[in-house]
Amino acid sequence: MATAQQTSRQHLISRVLLKQFTMRAPKGSGWQLLPIDLRNPGRVHKLRSTST
């Protein structure tokens, strides 16, 4: 059985604040965020909803 990996250096941002940085996604899928990974700038990013 695998053990859970401990997560560190994360913080919580409410959906209300996140929505200020969202844009309409194509095909009517609602408001989306584009995540940025500062440690891996070449990574391909996908739009995500504020709930994820």
Side-chain angles (χ1 to χ4, degrees):
M1 179 178 213
T3 59
Q5 182 179 5
Q6 185 174 356
T7 305
S8 62
R9 299 186 53 88
Q10 288 192 358
H11 55 276
L12 178 69
I13 301 174
S14 73
R15 288 185 195 176
V16 174
L17 290 176
L18 284 176
K19 190 165 183 180
Q20 295 178 18
F21 301 96
T22 59
M23 61 184 152
R24 277 279 192 202
K27 302 179 185 174
S29 57
W31 294 94
Q32 303 282 305
L33 288 167
L34 181 62
I36 303 295
D37 187 347
L38 296 176
R39 292 185 182 177
N40 300 308
R43 181 177 169 205
V44 176
H45 301 287
K46 297 178 184 176
L47 289 173
R48 305 277 182 185
S49 71
T50 56
S51 63
T52 58

